[in-house]
Amino acid sequence: MQTVDVGELAVSAYRKVAPDWIVEPLLAVADRLRGARVIHLSATPYGGGVSELLRSAVPLYNDLGVRATWKIISGEPAFFAVTKKLHNALQGGTEPITDAEIRLYEETSRRNAEQLSADPDFADCDFVFVHDPQPAAVLSFSDTTGARSVWRCHVDTSQPAPGAWDYLGKFVEGYDATVFTLPDFVPPTLPRDRADIICPAIDPLSPKNMSLDDRTAHAVLNWIGIEPDRPLVTQVSRFDPWKDPLGVIEAFRLVRPEVPGLQLALVGSMALDDPEGWEVYRSISDASRDDPDIHVFTNLTGVGNVEVNAFQKFSSVMIQKSIREGFGLVVSEALWKGTPIVAGRAGGIPLQVADDTGGVLVDSTEHCARELLDLLQDPGRAAALGASGRERVRRHFLLPRLLLDELTLLDGLAH
Ligand code: UDP
């Protein structure tokens, strides 16, 4: 088990961007929890939405007077292959999980539980926040302490494979509270009064979301190999079948004949806990080989936060063609930069693209292509959607609102 080093952040800096009606109650609830100790437990320090959230949330907890640490479970690649299967099954995937895989999941959870039990931070902590299925079983095997436990589900569990909940539910039932992104995600077997609904949020001041001027965005993309004078559409996401990157390529090919010079960028990260990434990367490379208008980038070839920022800022339209989606931080990230999005009607995406703000929801590849073309041909409408999307994100999906919801939950568990 590893403790992740995070930098320092000050809540006061967020007053400039987040609404007062969020920051004031946040300070009040943090005051009631002052000195409380929290462990966040997750599966990877980089790649994907959970690590994105914790990297900013943990230092802000500390600035608010709540002593938080972030710990990562350890496991062999075979363990993460099982947890990805479990993740997929919760999202409706049908690949069966074998008894041997279940044993590996539980043995690895037990080993992590031993390490957690021996960790001095655990002995005197007040709350343990466990993120997603990978570490969900750890607390079932660890020493009992007075800490209150929360399981935070970031996955789209609206249509799980039969049996997936029956298994994971055994571990989840032991928690004092659970958190889901949407009411639809709460499994029918879990009492509704034990499930809170909280949406994730983005850090508006992180290198990924900070304001980048046009010249810098232009220079960053030029350096990476994008031609800034040609129109660009981009999808940023882990290389995962649920994000439908091949559907994005197909939609792009339908639109390209109508938009001279159009380029597509697929920007994807490889996460420690996502062994499917390379497989999907290979199928994307096969599908885009010999097509000079399609650019594929990964975090392993130098695409970091600032580059993602530049793609989201500079693209004419962003795409997020997810079929299943927990929340989809990338949607709020794009909208925060005023860039409109064409996005799959899945999971938490319709919360972000709602009420005619931000972009357009789509249900198929052809639909995606049609809406993409419409926005590329109507820059006025695209800009208006981008602007309304940014305001929606400011009101609902910035980090101080997430902290307010989480601390309110902890306060309720404590008192
Ligand atoms: N991300 C990144 N580089 C990439 C691809 C994704 O930094 O090449 C980030 C992305 O900006 C977002 C997170 O990974 O912050 C993905 O979170 P999201 O909720 O969209 O999806 P998840 O990966 O959790 O399913």
Side-chain angles (χ1 to χ4, degrees), residues 47-53 87 91 132 154 200 202 208-209 235-240 243 266-270 274 297-299 303-305 308 312 320 324-331 333 337:
V50 176
S51 46
E52 188 72 23
L53 282 175
H87 169 115
Q91 297 209 137
D132 271 348
H154 296 271
I202 62 163
K208 178 169 293 164
N209 296 315
Q235 172 158 301
V236 172
S237 51
R238 278 181 304 105
F239 289 132
D240 180 321
K243 316 277 185 183
L266 288 166
V267 179
S269 57
M270 300 296 177
D274 187 357
F297 299 101
T298 81
N299 53 327
V303 176
N305 288 326
V308 169
Q312 291 170 332
Q320 188 56 42
R324 293 275 197 282
E325 189 61 77
F327 179 68
L329 287 177
V330 283
V331 174
E333 288 169 3
K337 284 133 202 157

Short mmCIF file of all heavy atoms in Angstrom, two decimals, residues 47-53 87 91 132 154 200 202 208-209 235-240 243 266-270 274 297-299 303-305 308 312 320 324-331 333 337, ligand 1:
data_model
loop_
_atom_site.label_atom_id
_atom_site.label_comp_id
_atom_site.label_asym_id
_atom_site.label_seq_id
_atom_site.Cartn_x
_atom_site.Cartn_y
_atom_site.Cartn_z
N GLY A 47 -4.38 8.36 -14.01
CA GLY A 47 -5.19 7.73 -15.07
C GLY A 47 -6.63 7.57 -14.62
O GLY A 47 -6.91 6.86 -13.65
N GLY A 48 -7.52 8.28 -15.28
CA GLY A 48 -8.95 8.13 -14.95
C GLY A 48 -9.43 9.15 -13.94
O GLY A 48 -8.64 9.90 -13.34
N GLY A 49 -10.76 9.17 -13.78
CA GLY A 49 -11.41 10.24 -13.03
C GLY A 49 -11.15 10.23 -11.54
O GLY A 49 -11.04 11.30 -10.92
N VAL A 50 -11.02 9.04 -10.92
CA VAL A 50 -10.88 9.01 -9.46
C VAL A 50 -9.57 9.67 -9.03
O VAL A 50 -9.53 10.49 -8.10
CB VAL A 50 -10.96 7.56 -8.94
CG1 VAL A 50 -10.73 7.50 -7.45
CG2 VAL A 50 -12.32 6.96 -9.28
N SER A 51 -8.50 9.35 -9.73
CA SER A 51 -7.22 9.95 -9.35
C SER A 51 -7.24 11.45 -9.63
O SER A 51 -6.66 12.25 -8.88
CB SER A 51 -6.05 9.27 -10.05
OG SER A 51 -6.33 9.09 -11.40
N GLU A 52 -7.93 11.81 -10.70
CA GLU A 52 -8.06 13.23 -11.03
C GLU A 52 -8.72 13.98 -9.86
O GLU A 52 -8.27 15.05 -9.44
CB GLU A 52 -8.94 13.34 -12.29
CG GLU A 52 -9.05 14.68 -12.91
CD GLU A 52 -7.77 15.10 -13.60
OE1 GLU A 52 -6.96 14.25 -13.98
OE2 GLU A 52 -7.59 16.32 -13.74
N LEU A 53 -9.78 13.39 -9.33
CA LEU A 53 -10.53 14.01 -8.23
C LEU A 53 -9.69 14.09 -6.96
O LEU A 53 -9.63 15.14 -6.30
CB LEU A 53 -11.73 13.13 -7.87
CG LEU A 53 -12.94 13.19 -8.76
CD1 LEU A 53 -13.96 12.16 -8.31
CD2 LEU A 53 -13.54 14.58 -8.64
N HIS A 87 -15.55 -4.36 -12.85
CA HIS A 87 -16.00 -3.03 -13.30
C HIS A 87 -16.90 -3.19 -14.53
O HIS A 87 -17.99 -2.63 -14.61
CB HIS A 87 -14.74 -2.20 -13.60
CG HIS A 87 -14.94 -0.91 -14.32
ND1 HIS A 87 -14.67 0.31 -13.75
CD2 HIS A 87 -15.35 -0.63 -15.57
CE1 HIS A 87 -14.91 1.26 -14.62
NE2 HIS A 87 -15.33 0.73 -15.73
N GLN A 91 -21.04 -2.60 -15.21
CA GLN A 91 -21.57 -1.74 -16.29
C GLN A 91 -22.34 -2.57 -17.33
O GLN A 91 -22.68 -2.05 -18.39
CB GLN A 91 -20.43 -0.96 -16.94
CG GLN A 91 -19.76 -0.01 -15.95
CD GLN A 91 -19.14 1.23 -16.57
OE1 GLN A 91 -19.28 2.32 -16.03
NE2 GLN A 91 -18.48 1.11 -17.70
N ASP A 132 -14.62 2.87 -5.59
CA ASP A 132 -14.80 1.90 -6.69
C ASP A 132 -14.60 0.44 -6.26
O ASP A 132 -14.26 0.15 -5.12
CB ASP A 132 -13.90 2.29 -7.88
CG ASP A 132 -14.64 3.26 -8.81
OD1 ASP A 132 -15.86 3.41 -8.65
OD2 ASP A 132 -13.99 3.84 -9.69
N HIS A 154 -18.01 5.05 -8.55
CA HIS A 154 -17.89 6.00 -9.67
C HIS A 154 -18.34 5.37 -10.99
O HIS A 154 -18.20 5.96 -12.05
CB HIS A 154 -16.43 6.46 -9.82
CG HIS A 154 -15.91 7.23 -8.65
ND1 HIS A 154 -16.03 8.59 -8.54
CD2 HIS A 154 -15.29 6.83 -7.52
CE1 HIS A 154 -15.49 9.00 -7.40
NE2 HIS A 154 -15.03 7.95 -6.76
N PRO A 200 -19.48 13.93 -9.06
CA PRO A 200 -18.09 14.39 -9.06
C PRO A 200 -17.98 15.84 -9.56
O PRO A 200 -18.99 16.47 -9.89
CB PRO A 200 -17.40 13.43 -10.02
CG PRO A 200 -18.28 12.23 -10.06
CD PRO A 200 -19.68 12.77 -9.90
N ILE A 202 -14.87 19.01 -11.17
CA ILE A 202 -13.51 19.27 -11.67
C ILE A 202 -12.85 20.38 -10.86
O ILE A 202 -13.52 21.22 -10.26
CB ILE A 202 -13.52 19.66 -13.16
CG1 ILE A 202 -14.31 20.95 -13.40
CG2 ILE A 202 -14.10 18.53 -14.02
CD1 ILE A 202 -14.01 21.60 -14.74
N LYS A 208 -4.81 21.14 -15.64
CA LYS A 208 -5.68 20.67 -16.72
C LYS A 208 -6.80 21.66 -17.03
O LYS A 208 -7.27 21.72 -18.16
CB LYS A 208 -6.29 19.32 -16.34
CG LYS A 208 -7.24 18.80 -17.38
CD LYS A 208 -7.61 17.38 -17.13
CE LYS A 208 -6.40 16.50 -17.31
NZ LYS A 208 -6.57 15.18 -16.73
N ASN A 209 -7.21 22.42 -16.04
CA ASN A 209 -8.40 23.27 -16.23
C ASN A 209 -8.13 24.76 -16.10
O ASN A 209 -9.03 25.56 -16.28
CB ASN A 209 -9.49 22.85 -15.24
CG ASN A 209 -9.96 21.44 -15.52
OD1 ASN A 209 -10.19 21.07 -16.67
ND2 ASN A 209 -10.05 20.63 -14.47
N GLN A 235 -11.59 13.52 -28.83
CA GLN A 235 -12.13 12.82 -27.65
C GLN A 235 -10.95 12.52 -26.72
O GLN A 235 -9.93 12.00 -27.14
CB GLN A 235 -12.84 11.50 -28.03
CG GLN A 235 -13.21 10.70 -26.77
CD GLN A 235 -14.35 9.70 -26.99
OE1 GLN A 235 -15.45 10.08 -27.37
NE2 GLN A 235 -14.10 8.42 -26.71
N VAL A 236 -11.13 12.88 -25.45
CA VAL A 236 -10.11 12.59 -24.41
C VAL A 236 -10.71 11.56 -23.48
O VAL A 236 -11.75 11.82 -22.85
CB VAL A 236 -9.80 13.87 -23.59
CG1 VAL A 236 -8.89 13.53 -22.40
CG2 VAL A 236 -9.17 14.95 -24.45
N SER A 237 -10.12 10.37 -23.39
CA SER A 237 -10.60 9.41 -22.38
C SER A 237 -9.67 8.22 -22.30
O SER A 237 -8.87 8.00 -23.21
CB SER A 237 -12.02 8.93 -22.68
OG SER A 237 -12.13 8.48 -23.98
N ARG A 238 -9.80 7.48 -21.19
CA ARG A 238 -9.06 6.22 -21.13
C ARG A 238 -9.43 5.39 -22.36
O ARG A 238 -10.55 5.49 -22.86
CB ARG A 238 -9.46 5.43 -19.87
CG ARG A 238 -8.77 5.84 -18.62
CD ARG A 238 -9.20 4.98 -17.43
NE ARG A 238 -10.64 4.99 -17.23
CZ ARG A 238 -11.46 3.98 -17.54
NH1 ARG A 238 -10.99 2.87 -18.06
NH2 ARG A 238 -12.75 4.08 -17.30
N PHE A 239 -8.46 4.56 -22.83
CA PHE A 239 -8.79 3.68 -23.95
C PHE A 239 -9.60 2.51 -23.41
O PHE A 239 -9.05 1.55 -22.89
CB PHE A 239 -7.52 3.22 -24.66
CG PHE A 239 -6.84 4.32 -25.42
CD1 PHE A 239 -5.48 4.55 -25.31
CD2 PHE A 239 -7.57 5.15 -26.26
CE1 PHE A 239 -4.86 5.57 -26.00
CE2 PHE A 239 -6.96 6.18 -26.98
CZ PHE A 239 -5.60 6.38 -26.84
N ASP A 240 -10.91 2.63 -23.55
CA ASP A 240 -11.83 1.72 -22.91
C ASP A 240 -13.00 1.53 -23.87
O ASP A 240 -13.51 2.50 -24.45
CB ASP A 240 -12.31 2.41 -21.60
CG ASP A 240 -13.28 1.57 -20.81
OD1 ASP A 240 -14.15 0.92 -21.41
OD2 ASP A 240 -13.22 1.60 -19.56
N LYS A 243 -16.03 3.77 -23.87
CA LYS A 243 -15.93 5.15 -24.37
C LYS A 243 -16.06 5.19 -25.90
O LYS A 243 -15.97 6.25 -26.51
CB LYS A 243 -14.59 5.77 -23.96
CG LYS A 243 -14.17 5.51 -22.51
CD LYS A 243 -14.81 6.46 -21.54
CE LYS A 243 -14.26 6.23 -20.14
NZ LYS A 243 -14.89 7.07 -19.13
N LEU A 266 -7.54 11.54 -30.87
CA LEU A 266 -8.00 10.64 -29.80
C LEU A 266 -6.90 10.66 -28.75
O LEU A 266 -5.77 10.23 -29.00
CB LEU A 266 -8.19 9.23 -30.33
CG LEU A 266 -9.39 9.04 -31.25
CD1 LEU A 266 -9.31 7.71 -31.99
CD2 LEU A 266 -10.69 9.11 -30.45
N VAL A 267 -7.22 11.22 -27.61
CA VAL A 267 -6.22 11.38 -26.55
C VAL A 267 -6.60 10.43 -25.43
O VAL A 267 -7.69 10.55 -24.86
CB VAL A 267 -6.21 12.84 -26.04
CG1 VAL A 267 -5.19 13.00 -24.93
CG2 VAL A 267 -5.93 13.80 -27.19
N GLY A 268 -5.74 9.47 -25.13
CA GLY A 268 -6.14 8.47 -24.16
C GLY A 268 -5.06 8.20 -23.15
O GLY A 268 -3.87 8.28 -23.46
N SER A 269 -5.48 7.87 -21.94
CA SER A 269 -4.46 7.58 -20.94
C SER A 269 -4.47 6.09 -20.61
O SER A 269 -5.47 5.40 -20.76
CB SER A 269 -4.69 8.40 -19.67
OG SER A 269 -5.97 8.15 -19.17
N MET A 270 -3.32 5.62 -20.17
CA MET A 270 -3.18 4.24 -19.72
C MET A 270 -3.15 4.30 -18.20
O MET A 270 -2.25 4.92 -17.63
CB MET A 270 -1.84 3.66 -20.19
CG MET A 270 -1.71 3.65 -21.69
SD MET A 270 -2.95 2.59 -22.44
CE MET A 270 -2.60 2.87 -24.15
N ASP A 274 -6.03 -0.46 -15.35
CA ASP A 274 -6.86 -0.72 -16.52
C ASP A 274 -6.09 -1.47 -17.60
O ASP A 274 -5.59 -0.88 -18.56
CB ASP A 274 -7.41 0.61 -17.08
CG ASP A 274 -8.42 0.35 -18.18
OD1 ASP A 274 -8.64 -0.83 -18.54
OD2 ASP A 274 -8.98 1.33 -18.70
N PHE A 297 -2.92 9.97 -29.36
CA PHE A 297 -1.92 10.38 -28.37
C PHE A 297 -2.19 9.68 -27.04
O PHE A 297 -3.34 9.42 -26.69
CB PHE A 297 -1.98 11.88 -28.10
CG PHE A 297 -1.73 12.73 -29.31
CD1 PHE A 297 -2.80 13.30 -30.00
CD2 PHE A 297 -0.44 12.96 -29.76
CE1 PHE A 297 -2.57 14.09 -31.11
CE2 PHE A 297 -0.21 13.75 -30.87
CZ PHE A 297 -1.27 14.32 -31.55
N THR A 298 -1.14 9.42 -26.28
CA THR A 298 -1.34 8.87 -24.94
C THR A 298 -0.49 9.63 -23.93
O THR A 298 0.46 10.33 -24.30
CB THR A 298 -0.96 7.38 -24.83
OG1 THR A 298 0.46 7.30 -24.67
CG2 THR A 298 -1.37 6.58 -26.05
N ASN A 299 -0.80 9.40 -22.65
CA ASN A 299 0.02 9.99 -21.59
C ASN A 299 1.45 9.45 -21.66
O ASN A 299 2.38 10.08 -21.19
CB ASN A 299 -0.61 9.71 -20.21
CG ASN A 299 -0.88 8.23 -19.97
OD1 ASN A 299 -1.20 7.49 -20.88
ND2 ASN A 299 -0.76 7.81 -18.73
N VAL A 303 1.56 13.30 -23.47
CA VAL A 303 0.36 14.13 -23.34
C VAL A 303 -0.05 14.18 -21.87
O VAL A 303 -0.58 13.22 -21.32
CB VAL A 303 -0.80 13.59 -24.21
CG1 VAL A 303 -2.06 14.41 -23.99
CG2 VAL A 303 -0.40 13.65 -25.67
N GLY A 304 0.27 15.28 -21.25
CA GLY A 304 -0.05 15.46 -19.83
C GLY A 304 -1.21 16.43 -19.68
O GLY A 304 -1.95 16.71 -20.63
N ASN A 305 -1.33 16.97 -18.47
CA ASN A 305 -2.48 17.83 -18.16
C ASN A 305 -2.58 19.06 -19.05
O ASN A 305 -3.65 19.44 -19.49
CB ASN A 305 -2.40 18.25 -16.70
CG ASN A 305 -2.71 17.09 -15.78
OD1 ASN A 305 -3.52 16.24 -16.12
ND2 ASN A 305 -2.05 17.03 -14.64
N VAL A 308 -3.79 18.14 -22.48
CA VAL A 308 -5.23 17.87 -22.48
C VAL A 308 -6.00 19.19 -22.42
O VAL A 308 -6.98 19.41 -23.14
CB VAL A 308 -5.62 16.94 -21.29
CG1 VAL A 308 -7.13 16.88 -21.13
CG2 VAL A 308 -5.05 15.54 -21.50
N GLN A 312 -8.73 20.51 -25.14
CA GLN A 312 -10.11 20.85 -24.78
C GLN A 312 -10.42 22.31 -25.09
O GLN A 312 -11.54 22.67 -25.45
CB GLN A 312 -10.34 20.54 -23.29
CG GLN A 312 -10.33 19.03 -23.03
CD GLN A 312 -10.30 18.66 -21.56
OE1 GLN A 312 -9.78 19.42 -20.74
NE2 GLN A 312 -10.83 17.49 -21.22
N GLN A 320 -17.58 13.00 -26.72
CA GLN A 320 -17.45 11.99 -25.67
C GLN A 320 -18.53 10.95 -25.93
O GLN A 320 -19.61 11.00 -25.38
CB GLN A 320 -17.58 12.60 -24.26
CG GLN A 320 -17.25 11.59 -23.16
CD GLN A 320 -15.86 10.97 -23.33
OE1 GLN A 320 -14.91 11.66 -23.66
NE2 GLN A 320 -15.76 9.68 -23.14
N ARG A 324 -21.46 3.66 -21.76
CA ARG A 324 -21.71 3.68 -20.31
C ARG A 324 -20.74 4.70 -19.74
O ARG A 324 -19.60 4.80 -20.20
CB ARG A 324 -21.41 2.34 -19.66
CG ARG A 324 -22.32 1.25 -20.05
CD ARG A 324 -23.60 1.24 -19.21
NE ARG A 324 -24.25 -0.05 -19.34
CZ ARG A 324 -24.98 -0.41 -20.39
NH1 ARG A 324 -25.22 0.46 -21.35
NH2 ARG A 324 -25.50 -1.62 -20.46
N GLU A 325 -21.17 5.39 -18.70
CA GLU A 325 -20.28 6.41 -18.13
C GLU A 325 -20.69 6.65 -16.69
O GLU A 325 -21.88 6.84 -16.41
CB GLU A 325 -20.42 7.71 -18.94
CG GLU A 325 -19.43 8.78 -18.62
CD GLU A 325 -17.99 8.36 -18.87
OE1 GLU A 325 -17.54 8.32 -20.02
OE2 GLU A 325 -17.33 8.05 -17.86
N GLY A 326 -19.74 6.62 -15.77
CA GLY A 326 -20.06 6.97 -14.39
C GLY A 326 -20.53 8.41 -14.36
O GLY A 326 -21.73 8.72 -14.22
N PHE A 327 -19.60 9.33 -14.54
CA PHE A 327 -19.95 10.74 -14.62
C PHE A 327 -19.40 11.33 -15.93
O PHE A 327 -20.15 11.91 -16.71
CB PHE A 327 -19.37 11.49 -13.41
CG PHE A 327 -19.65 12.96 -13.42
CD1 PHE A 327 -20.94 13.45 -13.25
CD2 PHE A 327 -18.62 13.88 -13.61
CE1 PHE A 327 -21.19 14.82 -13.26
CE2 PHE A 327 -18.87 15.25 -13.62
CZ PHE A 327 -20.16 15.71 -13.44
N GLY A 328 -18.10 11.13 -16.15
CA GLY A 328 -17.49 11.69 -17.35
C GLY A 328 -16.94 13.09 -17.06
O GLY A 328 -17.46 14.10 -17.55
N LEU A 329 -15.88 13.13 -16.23
CA LEU A 329 -15.28 14.43 -15.89
C LEU A 329 -14.88 15.19 -17.14
O LEU A 329 -14.90 16.43 -17.17
CB LEU A 329 -14.02 14.21 -15.05
CG LEU A 329 -14.19 13.78 -13.60
CD1 LEU A 329 -12.82 13.53 -12.97
CD2 LEU A 329 -14.94 14.85 -12.82
N VAL A 330 -14.48 14.45 -18.18
CA VAL A 330 -14.01 15.12 -19.40
C VAL A 330 -15.07 16.05 -19.99
O VAL A 330 -14.74 17.02 -20.65
CB VAL A 330 -13.57 14.10 -20.47
CG1 VAL A 330 -12.20 13.53 -20.15
CG2 VAL A 330 -14.59 13.01 -20.65
N VAL A 331 -16.34 15.75 -19.72
CA VAL A 331 -17.41 16.61 -20.26
C VAL A 331 -17.33 17.98 -19.58
O VAL A 331 -17.27 19.02 -20.24
CB VAL A 331 -18.79 15.94 -20.08
CG1 VAL A 331 -19.91 16.88 -20.51
CG2 VAL A 331 -18.84 14.64 -20.89
N GLU A 333 -14.83 19.20 -18.03
CA GLU A 333 -13.54 19.83 -18.37
C GLU A 333 -13.65 20.60 -19.69
O GLU A 333 -13.15 21.72 -19.82
CB GLU A 333 -12.45 18.75 -18.49
CG GLU A 333 -12.05 18.15 -17.15
CD GLU A 333 -11.17 16.90 -17.29
OE1 GLU A 333 -10.82 16.53 -18.42
OE2 GLU A 333 -10.85 16.29 -16.25
N LYS A 337 -13.96 25.07 -20.49
CA LYS A 337 -13.15 25.88 -21.42
C LYS A 337 -14.03 26.54 -22.48
O LYS A 337 -13.53 27.11 -23.45
CB LYS A 337 -12.10 24.99 -22.08
CG LYS A 337 -10.95 24.70 -21.11
CD LYS A 337 -10.57 23.26 -21.07
CE LYS A 337 -9.86 22.96 -19.77
NZ LYS A 337 -9.91 21.56 -19.37
N1 UDP B 1 -7.39 11.94 -18.93
C1 UDP B 1 -6.11 12.45 -19.09
N2 UDP B 1 -5.39 12.09 -20.17
C2 UDP B 1 -5.87 11.26 -21.10
C3 UDP B 1 -7.19 10.75 -20.95
C4 UDP B 1 -7.92 11.12 -19.84
O1 UDP B 1 -5.63 13.22 -18.27
O2 UDP B 1 -5.16 10.96 -22.06
C5 UDP B 1 -8.17 12.39 -17.76
C6 UDP B 1 -9.33 13.26 -18.16
O3 UDP B 1 -8.90 14.57 -18.43
C7 UDP B 1 -10.23 13.13 -16.94
C8 UDP B 1 -9.99 11.71 -16.49
O4 UDP B 1 -8.75 11.30 -17.08
O5 UDP B 1 -9.83 14.04 -15.93
C9 UDP B 1 -11.09 10.78 -16.95
O6 UDP B 1 -12.18 10.91 -16.11
P1 UDP B 1 -13.64 10.55 -16.57
O7 UDP B 1 -14.53 10.76 -15.40
O8 UDP B 1 -14.01 11.28 -17.80
O9 UDP B 1 -13.58 8.99 -16.97
P2 UDP B 1 -13.00 7.69 -16.23
O10 UDP B 1 -11.64 7.47 -16.79
O11 UDP B 1 -13.00 7.94 -14.76
O12 UDP B 1 -13.94 6.60 -16.66
#
